[in-house]
Amino acid sequence: MSDPKSTELMEKIVSLSKRRGFIYPSSEVYGGINGFWDYGPLGAELKRNVKDLWWRSMVHYRDDVVGLEATIIMHPLIWKASGHLDTFSDPMSTCRQCKKLVRSDQAREMVEDADWFQELQRFYQQATQSSPVAVSAESLEKLAQATRKHAPSLALVRAREAVTARLLASAANNGPDWADENQFIRSVSTENAAAGLTHFPCPHCGGELTEPRPFNLMFKTHYGPVESDDNVCYLRPETAQAIFVQFKNVFETSRQKLPFGIAQVGKAFRNEVTPRNFTFRSREFEQMELEFFIKPDEAVAALAGGVASASDGAWQGTPQPDWGWEVWHKYWVEQRVRFYESIGLAREDFVEYWQKPDELAHYARATVDILFRFPFGVQELEGIAARGDFDLTQHQKFSGKSTEVFDEELRSAWAILDEPTRTALRARHESSLKESLLKKGIAGDEATAQAAAASQAYFEKLAKGHYVPHVIEPSAGVDRLILALLCKAYREVVSTDEKGKTETRVVLQFHPRIAPIKVGVFPLLKNKPELVAKALAVRDLLRPHMTVFYDESGAIGRRYARQDEAGTPFGVTIDFDTLGEKPELADTVTLRHRDDGRQERLPIAELLPRLLPLIR
Ligand code: GAP
């Protein structure tokens, strides 16, 4: 449950975002459109900086990653092969009373934020302090009155007598309605006790939710002028699949050798049932994804004489030829956290959540969620999955085109590999295949036979140097990162003037690398042409290298405050000393630092060498 302080903080961030031009509701003049957001002047700069820095760290600063920019609409079979058509759905319920749609698995979380939920909780806790449950028709009537305004569809409100009778009888018999707080809350939302005990009330009105049914999240459209089943297509729900289907082209044209990665930044679309928490869950958003293709462990073992252990901390260092998928996976988790640190987030802001075996997607060998401490809870910012060869194998199967690579060194290495090592590798591979078949529900003997046949085919190819690469996938959301950066940067600074009047100002303490505006340039007075001319010259000196905001209007303190609120880390003031009033200070300026208000005097010629290392 988000506490009132965090709800208030989110409200302030949403309001500041609009007021200062970071984020606006999309199509606002038409009443908005739920789950869609636009980035204003400052937001657009912030987003661009974040994407550029991601691209630089992932692609430009590495020899083993190249980029891709693919279309949003792709061949519809891609989504059949990837599993999105059949399984990319969320459970959805409809409220029988207000008819709103609710994501069934989020009903409780959404209800928790409502005042009427807290009334119900308080009531339950008091009533169950004694045994038998201390409840009466009068106390239930009072509860109905207290919740009527915001949850008019609670069964306790709309069918009070029937529900009261059931709750009283159930209390007398130690019935299921009072078994625990959840059961009680479910039971007051329905007249039908049997159904009510499995569903939470509708977060919007307290009404009764229908059974969950799967709702596919992909936006569907048609290509060409005719709308028929033959030309259905989808807006991509992730950027990843384009990378898989272009893998062979990139591999053959980029002169990369495995291991190597393909990075892409771009829009993704998901028809979320309940977009919420500002931009956190949107229907249109951007992803920054890397698919890092590696050799399967058996190939690494043959080539490098063994596979490095993931437990010895190797992943903190430079990639080595004996790294298998586990070390590569940990390496990418570490790289991603280091990236976040480089743009102003701290390790303590995150929780690394290793998914439990029963939470893993069917294709994943391991997944780490990097969770950020948002004001509304600890929630996913990025997922880093070890996806095995699932994706490339699926596209090979559905397209009929090979996604295998040929590795001459592997063929030579396999030819001289000793028999005990080959046998051990085969045995381990076969047993892990069998385990996954058993998990899919294939019976014992059948699983043994299928695993043996698949393993044999796999090793026959491997011996000839052929295999389908495996994948490690760090997948981050741009919009969630922007929200995390806004939350992290937000500060309220209280100051008291000489007359004892206190004022609260907002300062966005963005890391200089991501700040939308890097430097404010201010002539002390706007009615002194010499000051203005000098300030414009400083602006023009800095502008080719960074975003500059020139501001000559208002008291200098107000101008600083406006830039603090925009998150601008530096301010340069041009005054009479700059013009040579004190000859020894001619052509010097004041450089102000946003976070501690520190001011220093330095020559104009030193501005660039001073600022550039801080913002790059
Ligand atoms: N290719 C893997 C993939 O798409 P995901 O966990 O579904 O994995 C990756 O998405 C990231 O995309 C998430 O960690 C999140 O940052 C972002 N994301 C996913 N759905 C989102 C939504 N509805 N709104 C905003 N960001 C979203």
Side-chain angles (χ1 to χ4, degrees), residues 35 49 86 98 108 126 248 267 284 290 305 310-311 314 338 341 350 405 425 452-454 488 534 586 611:
N49 290 343
D86 297 325
C98 72
R108 164 148 190 146
Q126 258 177 18
K248 240 358 209 326
K267 289 273 187 183
E284 176 175 338
L290 170 72
S311 55
R338 286 185 194 173
E341 286 181 316
F350 300 109
V405 295
L425 289 174
K488 171 81 182 180
K534 196 74 174 172
L611 293 176

Side-chain angles (χ1 to χ4, degrees), residues 238 270 272 280 282 287 289 380-381 473 475 477 480:
E238 60 173 22
R270 296 183 189 178
E272 298 284 354
F280 179 84
S282 309
Q287 289 184 315
E289 295 199 291
E380 180 184 325
L381 186 63
E473 180 197 61
S475 169
R480 280 191 193 174

